[in-house]
Amino acid sequence: MAEGSTPLFHNTPGVRRVRIGAREFMCMGALAPFDHPHEFLDMGGDSEAICPYCSTVYVYDPALKHHEADPSECVASATATHGAV
């Protein structure tokens, strides 16, 4: 990926769709300790992808930056993925 590291998203809020600014990304389901194995997803030429673990629908939005999501709380931080330091 030209933009850098693979973005990681979750759907802890339980929204119907998460809009993201990347076509290649990882889904962790929910924040730890309720996460699932981090699943790499690639939309290819499509505009959406569904996580096979948690069924979250991710929709590509070119108006968002590579590591951005709407809702913004669906972006996973290093603290969220590894617990508080």
Side-chain angles (χ1 to χ4, degrees), residues 35-57:
D35 55 335
H36 61 56
H38 297 185
E39 180 72 16
F40 179 80
L41 300 168
D42 184 348
M43 291 182 194
D46 294 336
S47 61
E48 68 179 41
I50 300 172
C51 177
Y53 279 95
C54 65
S55 300
T56 295
V57 177

Side-chain angles (χ1 to χ4, degrees):
M1 292 184 132
E3 290 96 22
S5 65
T6 303
L8 180 61
F9 302 105
H10 64 86
N11 190 11
T12 301
V15 295
R16 182 172 291 220
R17 296 179 178 280
V18 178
R19 294 183 320 123
I20 59 174
R23 290 185 187 271
E24 296 177 352
F25 61 97
M26 294 183 80
C27 175
M28 64 184 285
L31 293 176
F34 305 108
D35 55 335
H36 61 56
H38 297 185
E39 180 72 16
F40 179 80
L41 300 168
D42 184 348
M43 291 182 194
D46 294 336
S47 61
E48 68 179 41
I50 300 172
C51 177
Y53 279 95
C54 65
S55 300
T56 295
V57 177
Y58 290 96
V59 179
Y60 176 67
D61 184 343
L64 295 171
K65 292 183 182 171
H66 186 67
H67 285 81
E68 291 182 337
D70 180 22
S72 61
E73 60 266 22
C74 291
V75 176
S77 66
T79 318
T81 61
H82 302 295
V85 179

